[in-house]
Amino acid sequence: MSLQPVAVADDESTTLGIEIYARLRRDLIAGHLKPGERLRFRQLSSIYGVGIAPLREALSRLVSDQLVRFEGHRGYTVAPLSLSDLHDLCALRTELSCNALRRSITRGDEDWEAEILAALHRLERTPLPHSVEDRKIVDEWELRHDRFHYSLIAACDSPWLLHFCGALSDHFQRYRRGVIVVTSSSQELLKRVRDQHRTIAEAAIARDADRATAVLAEHFQGSVEVVIRNYEEVSLSLSAGNGDEAN
Amino acid sequence: MSLQPVAVADDESTTLGIEIYARLRRDLIAGHLKPGERLRFRQLSSIYGVGIAPLREALSRLVSDQLVRFEGHRGYTVAPLSLSDLHDLCALRTELSCNALRRSITRGDEDWEAEILAALHRLERTPLPHSVEDRKIVDEWELRHDRFHYSLIAACDSPWLLHFCGALSDHFQRYRRGVIVVTSSSQELLKRVRDQHRTIAEAAIARDADRATAVLAEHFQGSVEVVIRNYEEVSLSLSAGNGDEAN
DNA sequence: ATCACAAGAATGTTCGAACAAAAATACTAT
DNA sequence: ATAGTATTTTTGTTCGAACATTCTTGTGAT
C-alpha cells in the first residue's frame, strides 16, 4: 500500500513510430547510414525489427528534417553530403549561433551560467576516441559537445532560433563525425579546441558578448577547415553514389 | 506517330501520401483547420478521401514542420497559435529575411531584378478580399504576396537560409490570414503596405541594402502590430481549446 | 554488338482488419 | 450526491496481404 501511484516513471507513452524515428535519426547523424544509401523497407524492417508502417512514419518525418530524401515510387535515400552544403550550413550556423549567444548573454541568469560550467566540465572529462570504431566514446563525446554548445545558447529565449540552431548542429555533426579522430589525434588541434571551449564559456559568463561570439565563430570556422582539409580522404565514405552536386 | 514520347508532362510520379501532405499543409496554413483542433483519422479519411496510411505519413511530416503536434496514443492536433510564438516568429523572420535580402542584393543578377518586378506587378494587380469567405481571392493574394517576398531573397545563395525563411513565412501566414480583411478594409493601411512593397523592390534593385532592409523590417513590424491589435477579437478562432500558453 | 522490347523480380504503396490504449459512460458503494 | 471503479465505446497503432510501379533480366531483331 504505497502512497505513490503504481505507475513508475518509465511509462513514457511511446509508439514504435516514435522509437524508430529516434533510432534512425541517431544513426543518420552518426553516419551509420551512409549518405546516398538507399533505405529499403525490407532491409530496415529486418535490421530494426519493426514493420513498415512505423518505418514510413519515421522516414516521412526525416524528410522534413532534411536528413532523408524521398522520390515517389522510388523510395527513401540518406541525404547526401556536399562541400557546398557544408559551407552553407556553417555560415548560417555561425550567424545564428552567435546571434543566440548574444541573446543568451543578455538574458541568462545564474542557472544558465551554472549549466554552461557543468556542461563544459563534462565535456572536458570525456575521453577522446582513438578510432572511429570506438562508437561508444564518439557518441558520448558528440553528446557532451552538443550539450555544451546548447547550454551556451539555451537562455536566448527564442524557441525558433533554438530549433534552427539544433537542426544545423545535427546536420553539421554528419560532417564532423568523419574527422573527429583526426582532430583528437593532433595535440595541437586538441588544445586549440579545448581552449576555445573554455574561452567561450568564460567570456559568456563574464558577459563579454563580443569576445564570446568572436571565439565561437573562430571555433566553428576551425571545425569546417578540418572537415574540408580531410574531405578528399573521406569523400569515399561521404558520398556513396552521388554526394556533392556542385563543387 | 508523334516523335514525342507518349507520356505527357502530367506524370509527376506522385503518391497519395505526398498529395495529402500538400493539401493538409495548405489547409493548416490557411487556417482551414483550426489551431488546437484534433485531427482524427476517421474524420480526415472521409473528408479527404484517403486511407489512414497516407494520412499518418503526411501528419508525421507535418510534426517536423511544426504545423501539427503529436502525442503518443492520443493522436495529432493542429499546432496552437500564441502571442509569444508570434513575437518569436516575427523577430527571427525579420532577422533572417533582412540577412537574406542583403545577400541577395549583393549577389542578385538581372534575372533576380526582373523576377522581383514581375512578382510585384502580379501582387499589385491582385484584388483584395472583402471577406474571409472570399477564399479564392485570399488564397491568390497570399500566394502572390509570398512569391513577392520570396523573389526578394531568392538570390541569397543559401538553401538553408531560404528554407528557414520559408518555414517562418508559412507559420506567420497562419497569424496573418485572420487579419487580412482588416488590413484590406483600411485605405490607410492598404496604401502603406503597397508603398512598402514598392519601396523595398526599388531599393533592392537599386542595391540600397540599408534602405531595403529598413523598410522590410518596418513592413514586418507593421504586420505584427495589426495582428496583435486584432488578436483579442480573433482569439476565439485562434485558440480552439488551448492556444497560447504563456502571455 | 546494340538497341528495343517483353517477362520476371524486386520494391514501394495502399488498404482493411486485428490489436491496444485512451476516453466516455454506466454502475456501485459510501 | 460523489468518488471510485468497471464496462463500453471510441480512437490510435500495427501488421500482413493485395496492388502498382520501377528496376532487372532475358530475348530477339537489326
Side-chain angles (χ1 to χ4, degrees):
Chain A
M1 317 157 145
S2 70
L3 293 169
Q4 309 284 357
V6 193
V8 252
D10 76 305
D11 189 15
E12 281 309 327
S13 180
T14 188
T15 69
L16 270 181
I18 298 289
E19 266 176 54
I20 196 64
Y21 168 73
R23 289 180 63 191
L24 279 171
R25 196 172 215 285
R26 260 205 317 274
D27 290 347
L28 248 4
I29 292 169
H32 294 157
L33 297 162
K34 298 277 185 295
E37 186 181 336
R38 284 197 64 180
L39 297 167
R40 294 190 184 81
F41 289 113
R42 260 185 273 284
Q43 186 187 342
L44 294 177
S45 187
S46 71
I47 292 173
Y48 291 95
V50 296
I52 59 172
L55 270 175
R56 288 192 79 88
E57 207 174 305
L59 288 169
S60 189
R61 268 192 77 170
L62 290 164
V63 170
S64 271
D65 289 343
Q66 309 257 84
L67 288 166
V68 162
R69 291 235 199 294
F70 172 74
E71 263 188 300
H73 296 286
R74 253 174 278 182
Y76 296 85
T77 54
V78 180
L81 261 40
S82 73
L83 261 183
S84 61
D85 179 59
L86 176 61
H87 279 120
D88 184 22
L89 199 55
C90 289
L92 197 55
R93 189 185 180 215
T94 302
E95 194 111 34
L96 296 194
S97 284
C98 286
N99 189 316
L101 180 53
R102 267 183 200 283
R103 296 198 206 186
S104 261
I105 288 171
T106 304
R107 319 178 70 96
D109 57 10
E110 300 90 346
D111 287 335
W112 168 70
E113 297 175 1
E115 283 302 322
I116 291 173
L117 290 174
L120 177 64
H121 182 75
R122 289 194 198 96
L123 176 59
E124 285 179 338
R125 294 303 170 100
T126 310
L128 279 154
H130 295 293
S131 145
V132 273
E133 302 307 319
D134 295 343
R135 276 190 185 169
K136 286 264 176 62
I137 297 179
V138 175
D139 286 351
E140 192 59 31
W141 189 87
E142 288 287 355
L143 180 66
R144 298 190 183 194
H145 186 244
D146 268 6
R147 283 196 184 152
F148 169 66
H149 277 283
Y150 179 82
S151 76
L152 290 168
I153 62 175
C156 76
D157 196 40
S158 169
W160 277 103
L161 187 51
L162 278 175
H163 178 246
F164 289 155
C165 285
L168 294 172
S169 172
D170 287 344
H171 275 267
F172 182 63
Q173 199 179 125
R174 299 216 300 151
Y175 292 92
R176 188 179 52 219
R177 284 260 179 173
V179 298
I180 184 174
V181 178
V182 177
T183 309
S184 66
S185 65
S186 157
Q187 286 303 316
E188 184 200 341
L189 260 179
L190 212 58
K191 186 180 178 338
R192 195 180 74 188
V193 168
R194 281 180 167 160
D195 285 349
Q196 284 172 336
H197 284 149
R198 180 149 284 278
T199 306
I200 296 164
E202 285 169 356
I205 292 172
R207 312 287 163 165
D208 186 345
D210 289 339
R211 180 158 170 72
T213 53
V215 180
L216 182 62
E218 201 182 291
H219 177 60
F220 286 152
Q221 194 52 38
S223 306
V224 183
E225 273 161 23
V226 175
V227 173
I228 292 172
R229 205 177 308 147
N230 291 274
Y231 190 79
E232 292 77 20
E233 296 156 44
V234 293
S235 62
L236 282 170
S237 59
L238 285 185
S239 55
N242 34 10
D244 53 334
E245 36 270 64
N247 204 353
Chain B
M1 318 152 105
S2 71
L3 295 169
Q4 309 284 356
V6 193
V8 251
D10 76 305
D11 189 13
E12 280 309 326
S13 181
T14 187
T15 69
L16 269 181
I18 297 289
E19 266 177 52
I20 196 64
Y21 168 73
R23 290 180 62 189
L24 279 171
R25 195 171 216 287
R26 261 205 317 274
D27 290 347
L28 248 5
I29 292 169
H32 211 156
L33 296 162
K34 298 275 184 297
E37 186 181 336
R38 284 196 64 181
L39 296 167
R40 295 189 183 82
F41 288 113
R42 257 185 280 283
Q43 186 188 342
L44 294 177
S45 187
S46 71
I47 292 174
Y48 291 95
V50 296
I52 59 172
L55 270 176
R56 288 192 79 89
E57 209 175 303
L59 288 170
S60 189
R61 267 193 78 171
L62 291 164
V63 170
S64 271
D65 289 343
Q66 309 255 85
L67 287 168
V68 313
R69 292 233 200 291
F70 173 74
E71 262 188 301
H73 297 287
R74 252 174 280 182
Y76 296 85
T77 54
V78 180
L81 261 38
S82 73
L83 260 182
S84 61
D85 179 59
L86 176 61
H87 278 119
D88 184 22
L89 199 55
C90 289
L92 197 54
R93 190 186 179 215
T94 303
E95 194 110 37
L96 296 193
S97 283
C98 286
N99 189 315
L101 180 54
R102 266 183 201 282
R103 295 198 206 186
S104 261
I105 287 172
T106 304
R107 319 178 71 95
D109 57 11
E110 299 90 348
D111 287 337
W112 167 70
E113 297 175 1
E115 282 302 322
I116 291 172
L117 291 174
L120 177 63
H121 182 76
R122 288 195 198 96
L123 176 59
E124 285 178 339
R125 294 303 170 99
T126 310
L128 279 153
H130 296 293
S131 145
V132 273
E133 303 306 321
D134 295 343
R135 276 191 185 163
K136 286 264 176 62
I137 297 178
V138 176
D139 286 351
E140 192 59 32
W141 189 86
E142 289 287 355
L143 180 66
R144 298 191 185 195
H145 187 244
D146 268 7
R147 283 196 185 153
F148 170 66
H149 278 283
Y150 178 83
S151 76
L152 290 168
I153 62 175
C156 76
D157 196 40
S158 169
W160 278 103
L161 187 51
L162 278 176
H163 179 248
F164 289 155
C165 284
L168 294 172
S169 172
D170 287 344
H171 275 267
F172 182 63
Q173 199 178 126
R174 300 215 301 151
Y175 291 92
R176 187 178 52 217
R177 284 259 181 175
V179 297
I180 183 174
V181 178
V182 177
T183 309
S184 66
S185 64
S186 157
Q187 286 302 318
E188 185 200 340
L189 260 179
L190 211 58
K191 185 180 178 343
R192 195 180 72 187
V193 168
R194 281 181 167 160
D195 286 348
Q196 284 172 335
H197 285 150
R198 181 149 283 278
T199 306
I200 296 164
E202 285 169 357
I205 291 172
R207 314 286 163 165
D208 187 346
D210 288 340
R211 178 157 172 72
T213 53
V215 180
L216 182 62
E218 201 181 290
H219 176 61
F220 287 152
Q221 195 52 37
S223 306
V224 183
E225 273 162 23
V226 176
V227 173
I228 292 172
R229 206 178 307 147
N230 290 274
Y231 189 78
E232 291 79 19
E233 296 156 43
V234 293
S235 62
L236 282 171
S237 59
L238 285 184
S239 54
N242 34 8
D244 53 335
E245 36 268 64
N247 202 359

